[in-house]
Amino acid sequence: MDLVVNAVSHEVDSAPLTSLLEVLREELDITGPKAGCETGGCGACTVLIDGEPRRSCLTALCMAEGREVTTVEGLGTPEALSAVQQAFIHHYAAQCGFCTSGMIVASSAYVDRGGSPDTGAIQEALGGHYCRCTGYVKILDAVAAVARGDDADTMSTAASPTSSYVSIGGTGNGGGGAA
Amino acid sequence: MTLHRGRGMSTIEYPTGMNQNGDPSQAWIKVKPDGRVDVFSGTADIGNGSKTIQSQIVAETIGVPYDWVTFDNSNTDSSPLCTGTFASRATFVAGNAVLKAAREVRGRILEIAGREMEIDPGDLELEDGSVSVVGTPARSMGVDEVAGAATFVHGELLTGDGAHLNPAAEIIDPETGEVDKPPHAAISYAACVAEVEVDDETGVVRVVKLTQAYDIGRAMNPTLLEGQIDGGAVMGLGFGLLEDSYPYYPANEHRGESMNTYHVPGMEGLPAVENVLIENPSTGGPYGAKGIGEMANNAQPAAIAIAIHDAVGVWVTEFPITPERLLAALDREAAGEDQPRREGKRVIYDEHLSVNTVATAKSWRP
Ligand code: FES
Ligand code: FES
């Protein structure tokens, strides 16, 4: 069976009902999509199929035949990252990185279809993606920045709409413990 | 159906480093002939940013630009030992190890530069990748030149090693848990106020807002710090309302069964979070650092439980506070029955250490 991933056509041997996630990771060694829950619950395996975000763990290989599959690897190159990839770096939107490729793929589809920078709209679009690390704050910031059209070099890291910080303190000596 | 609003506060003190200490970390640093710095430390970065923080400590301490530093922990066999990324210890304990190694490297750079410039190393300063004579900044030499001279003229390697260990505290009184020396590397403090809305018909609790204050020692990297606190807030929300990993630790089946039965908070319906950071440097941490990793998800569940009591007048005594548990608690309350209790872990409160550190922290209030 032929499978087109990131504009490259591959001849694959897996059985037609094998999950697309397994084919990508195990047969083609394209490991951007992560195997989180493998039951459709977390979003870590998200890829684009003809530009639409889809859970590759729930997609049979035969359903992707004749269609364009895009993984996070196909969105930009290390030399020329996509706007969403740049924004994720700029806003520190990844910690462990496990959710990140799914988040970036889904966010790319969101901004490509003209999604708004409104927090509620982004939350709805990415609502099916779990992140264990970030509390979603900086992911929301990154996606909003791209949706607003912020320039990658001048993207603000101004106050987030969902989490704010003030800092107090100085140079004393507290908190003890053995040196 | 009535919606009830309530507010609750909880506070926490949280140790940095392994309980009772005894958890070493080691580091080794070498400088390449072009002055670029390789750091070998066994600390695994699981997304907490320890590679970044340790590289910052090394750059700052030696006096070279941050992007000259490469942190290598690709192989725990060739890297020096680190007890691990747990117990909020990486920045403090492993950070101290790289700090000591970096100090040694700095000394070696100044030593070779002194030989090259024929001047006492004590009269040299090192900043931003350049060694210069104190008071005569025009007399200077790049760290790259120093490293080149060390390699090709003096036949030496610029290197340094460091290790940190807070010695293990032994329990001397099993009754009280009293130990023979300070049992923690440092102690951090936090407070959290939760504002909730409780639906007394469905038992659904919505956390509207979290207001949190964190004593974080020193904000080594403010953006990464925010990441830990933002993430901790949402994790704490999950522990309070959603996440149940029955059977409880130390049962070895202790884990959620699958993503479809273990619920974590998603992106929607999150509370607004307002944070206050208090920089109250530790005495022993690198640049005054303390641990923030694990403390960040502890105060929320208790604050939520107290806010629920404030809203509807019942104590729900088990986490997570699911709608089923809350409705059962309301029913028991109405029937005049006791709420269930589970035997918890025994916590030993170290009055001396706590009161001391709280007292020092007081002078910090604005
Ligand atoms: S792995 Fe596909 S949704 Fe979790
Ligand atoms: S960054 Fe770790 S799960 Fe999102």
Side-chain angles (χ1 to χ4, degrees):
Chain A
M1 191 177 293
D2 281 340
L3 182 68
V4 179
V5 185
N6 301 328
V8 176
S9 181
H10 301 268
E11 165 111 30
V12 296
D13 297 330
S14 299
L17 290 180
T18 314
S19 80
L20 178 58
L21 175 65
E22 192 180 326
V23 176
L24 291 170
R25 291 184 57 88
E26 305 300 333
E27 188 173 344
L28 299 178
D29 214 14
I30 297 171
T31 55
K34 300 294 175 223
C37 61
E38 297 180 73
T39 50
C42 72
C45 67
T46 302
V47 299
L48 301 178
I49 298 183
D50 289 343
E52 287 297 320
R54 292 286 177 263
R55 309 218 148 181
S56 63
C57 70
L58 295 185
T59 305
L61 169 61
C62 57
M63 292 163 70
E65 195 184 14
R67 307 172 77 180
E68 295 271 344
V69 177
T70 309
T71 68
V72 72
E73 289 92 340
L75 295 174
T77 65
E79 296 73 35
L81 296 173
S82 74
V84 174
Q85 288 170 330
Q86 269 174 17
F88 266 63
I89 293 174
H90 188 86
H91 287 271
Y92 285 70
Q95 286 185 30
C96 79
F98 200 87
C99 70
T100 309
S101 47
M103 289 280 188
I104 288 180
V105 166
S107 309
S108 300
Y110 176 75
V111 295
D112 282 353
R113 63 167 186 269
S116 92
D118 173 66
T119 305
I122 301 170
Q123 284 171 324
E124 198 187 330
L126 300 179
H129 289 253
Y130 282 140
C131 176
R132 181 79 284 198
C133 305
T134 63
Y136 305 102
V137 172
K138 294 187 191 307
I139 294 174
L140 287 167
D141 291 351
V143 180
V146 183
R148 270 196 310 267
D150 284 12
D151 188 289
D153 298 325
T154 56
M155 269 177 192
S156 80
T157 38
S160 149
T162 49
S163 172
S164 70
Y165 286 88
V166 294
S167 200
I168 53 179
T171 54
N173 175 15
Chain B
M1 167 196 104
T2 318
L3 287 179
H4 306 264
R5 300 279 285 215
R7 188 187 280 182
M9 179 173 102
S10 73
T11 58
I12 178 174
E13 63 164 58
Y14 205 90
T16 296
M18 203 164 82
N19 262 325
Q20 292 179 244
N21 289 325
D23 52 334
S25 279
Q26 306 165 330
W28 180 64
I29 300 176
K30 73 176 169 69
V31 183
K32 289 194 276 237
D34 64 354
R36 299 314 190 253
V37 178
D38 292 329
V39 184
F40 298 87
S41 148
T43 318
D45 192 333
I46 56 171
N48 48 331
S50 51
K51 280 186 176 183
T52 309
I53 300 281
Q54 290 187 32
S55 302
Q56 278 181 264
I57 291 172
V58 169
E60 178 91 16
T61 306
I62 298 181
V64 294
Y66 172 78
D67 57 10
W68 285 20
V69 178
T70 300
F71 185 96
D72 186 332
N73 66 349
S74 51
N75 181 339
T76 50
D77 194 23
S78 57
S79 285
L81 176 130
C82 174
T83 307
T85 301
F86 68 101
S88 307
R89 62 182 295 287
T91 297
F92 190 109
V93 185
N96 262 335
V98 296
L99 176 81
K100 290 173 190 172
R103 280 192 187 136
E104 198 174 311
V105 168
R106 181 184 167 92
R108 289 281 290 140
I109 292 171
L110 292 176
E111 182 192 333
I112 300 286
R115 269 190 251 165
E116 281 290 295
M117 297 165 87
E118 296 181 343
I119 189 166
D120 188 296
D123 294 328
L124 293 172
E125 56 192 2
L126 167 44
E127 214 181 326
D128 219 14
S130 172
V131 182
S132 59
V133 178
V134 178
T136 322
R139 267 193 84 191
S140 70
M141 193 175 175
V143 169
D144 48 347
E145 294 173 81
V146 179
T151 311
F152 299 109
V153 179
H154 303 278
E156 293 187 24
L157 172 64
L158 295 175
T159 176
D161 56 53
H164 189 79
L165 171 69
N166 290 96
E170 302 301 338
I171 293 182
I172 48 179
D173 182 347
E175 261 314 294
T176 62
E178 187 184 342
V179 282
D180 62 351
K181 52 179 96 60
H184 306 126
I187 296 181
S188 309
Y189 303 90
C192 172
V193 175
E195 291 172 51
V196 303
E197 204 173 75
V198 181
D199 182 327
D200 64 9
E201 190 185 358
T202 62
V204 170
V205 176
R206 188 168 78 88
V207 178
V208 182
K209 186 173 175 190
L210 293 172
T211 308
Q212 319 188 99
Y214 284 97
D215 156 16
I216 39 81
R218 170 81 73 199
M220 306 287 279
N221 181 316
T223 310
L224 291 184
L225 172 69
E226 288 176 15
Q228 295 291 300
I229 293 176
D230 291 340
V234 171
M235 212 183 254
L237 193 72
F239 295 162
L241 296 178
L242 298 169
E243 300 178 37
D244 199 356
S245 49
Y246 188 85
Y248 302 114
Y249 177 84
N252 59 5
E253 308 85 4
H254 164 79
R255 66 173 83 97
E257 237 171 56
S258 80
M259 289 299 294
N260 300 326
T261 54
Y262 188 90
H263 298 293
V264 305
M267 216 178 239
E268 290 176 277
L270 293 176
V273 187
E274 231 173 80
N275 301 291
V276 180
L277 303 178
I278 302 160
E279 294 203 84
N280 175 33
S282 68
T283 40
Y287 298 98
K290 294 180 187 176
I292 176 63
E294 290 171 316
M295 180 174 73
N297 63 25
N298 278 260
Q300 300 85 3
I304 291 168
I306 295 162
I308 290 170
H309 181 265
D310 186 41
V312 291
V314 297
W315 290 112
V316 186
T317 52
E318 285 171 292
F319 288 122
I321 304 179
T322 56
E324 293 83 352
R325 281 188 177 144
L326 177 51
L327 292 177
L330 285 167
D331 286 349
R332 274 191 294 267
E333 182 74 14
E337 294 166 19
D338 287 344
Q339 303 294 349
R341 288 202 169 267
R342 181 166 76 88
E343 262 312 299
K345 194 159 102 176
R346 194 166 75 119
V347 175
I348 297 161
Y349 173 64
D350 184 329
E351 191 176 5
H352 175 69
L353 202 59
S354 301
V355 171
N356 250 347
T357 44
V358 170
T360 338
K362 269 197 186 126
S363 59
W364 278 80
R365 302 265 150 71

